[in-house]
Amino acid sequence: ETGVTQTPRHLVMGMTNKKSLKCEQHLGHNAMYWYKQSAKKPLELMFVYNFKEQTENNSVPSRFSPECPNSSHLFLHLHTLQPEDSALYLCASRPSYLGGTTEAFFGQGTRLTVV
Amino acid sequence: AQTVTQSQPEMSVQEAETVTLSCTYDTSESDYYLFWYKQPPSRQMILVIRQEAYKQQNATENRFSVNFQKAAKSFSLKISDSQLGDAAMYFCASLMNYGGSQGNLIFGKGTKLSVKP
């Protein structure tokens, strides 16, 4: 148990559906991340939020829409996805303070299948 | 650009023996952190060990140790007395420190470690 919780753990959705992934942490961390993990590909950084502000969008298609209403919650809204978007989506958080040495804590991921 | 390279897609080790996983990285920064994460079949990413670039001493956590060669930009992980529970994907990752503000955690492609009984 890392203190980062992702729901749902598994999700199957059609290409015309709209769904959302949720990530929650109560570790006091101020930086939150979405990563995509596909078979045979490295972990791809998608979005970064620091103190609720988006600081990185790694050229992610607009069918993925992140939301960070507060430092403890991070969402990934999905709509009109493609089958190639099927992957494990990992959320991570870490402290975000100057000069600190930090590691990221990961959730267990959401296994997404687009049919 | 910040890159992390793991050149061994798969490795195998006999139980109780020692195995070394390789990682090289590229950065122009002088201040950064390096990590090894483990991802078992449960998919939970777990931190194995961490190394601060300004520290010359290699980090050690029980059976896990690193060989940090800063000039060569190499950061290998040694697992001693391998156990069946060590079987997992292992990811090397780097995090830059830009004069006090930190960059993003970037991962290598991973090495799949099998442990034979």
Side-chain angles (χ1 to χ4, degrees):
Chain A
E1 179 60 49
T2 62
V4 180
T5 304
Q6 287 186 245
T7 54
R9 294 287 307 279
H10 301 273
L11 178 63
V12 179
M13 61 184 289
M15 289 188 283
T16 58
N17 291 159
K18 290 184 179 181
K19 296 286 185 182
S20 295
L21 310 185
K22 179 182 177 182
C23 177
E24 184 173 356
Q25 58 88 12
H26 296 287
L27 302 170
H29 295 168
N30 290 304
M32 297 188 78
Y33 303 77
W34 279 117
Y35 285 89
K36 176 183 179 182
Q37 187 177 23
S38 308
K40 301 179 182 179
K41 278 191 174 183
L43 277 155
E44 300 173 72
L45 180 63
M46 300 176 72
F47 300 104
V48 181
Y49 277 82
N50 279 284
F51 295 93
K52 301 186 296 178
E53 297 296 322
Q54 187 180 125
T55 54
E56 181 105 11
N57 177 339
N58 201 19
S59 302
V60 180
S62 60
R63 58 185 183 269
F64 295 91
S65 176
E67 180 189 3
C68 189
N70 54 62
S71 292
S72 298
H73 294 86
L74 183 65
F75 295 89
L76 188 62
H77 303 300
L78 317 169
H79 63 98
T80 59
L81 294 191
Q82 303 299 310
E84 60 264 28
D85 297 322
S86 299
L88 181 71
Y89 288 84
L90 290 166
C91 172
S93 72
R94 65 176 179 87
S96 178
Y97 54 91
L98 299 181
T101 171
T102 66
E103 67 263 25
F105 293 76
F106 283 82
Q108 290 184 297
T110 294
R111 170 65 68 185
L112 174 67
T113 303
V114 181
V115 297
Chain B
Q2 178 187 348
T3 60
V4 177
T5 303
Q6 292 179 251
S7 59
Q8 305 155 315
E10 296 188 27
M11 291 284 284
S12 180
V13 64
Q14 203 71 33
E15 194 176 7
E17 295 190 346
T18 296
V19 64
T20 298
L21 308 184
S22 301
C23 173
T24 58
Y25 59 93
D26 192 15
T27 179
S28 57
E29 300 298 320
S30 60
D31 190 11
Y32 49 89
Y33 311 101
L34 299 168
F35 307 88
W36 277 99
Y37 279 87
K38 170 185 177 181
Q39 188 181 39
S42 68
R43 296 294 186 175
Q44 178 71 67
M45 293 280 280
I46 304 164
L47 179 70
V48 175
I49 199 164
R50 174 183 63 210
Q51 174 80 44
E52 290 86 352
Y54 64 85
K55 290 186 177 178
Q56 292 187 336
Q57 187 173 8
N58 289 324
T60 299
E61 288 286 342
N62 301 313
R63 298 183 294 107
F64 299 87
S65 62
V66 299
N67 184 4
F68 174 46
Q69 301 289 325
K70 192 171 184 177
K73 296 182 180 176
S74 171
F75 182 61
S76 60
L77 174 70
K78 186 172 84 171
I79 306 174
S80 304
D81 185 25
S82 297
Q83 300 176 1
L84 296 177
D86 295 333
M89 282 290 289
Y90 285 83
F91 292 94
C92 180
S94 67
L95 176 68
M96 299 296 113
N97 196 10
Y98 301 110
S101 63
Q102 293 172 344
N104 297 317
L105 193 61
I106 303 299
F107 288 84
K109 291 186 177 182
T111 296
K112 183 178 181 180
L113 177 67
S114 302
V115 180
K116 297 178 181 177

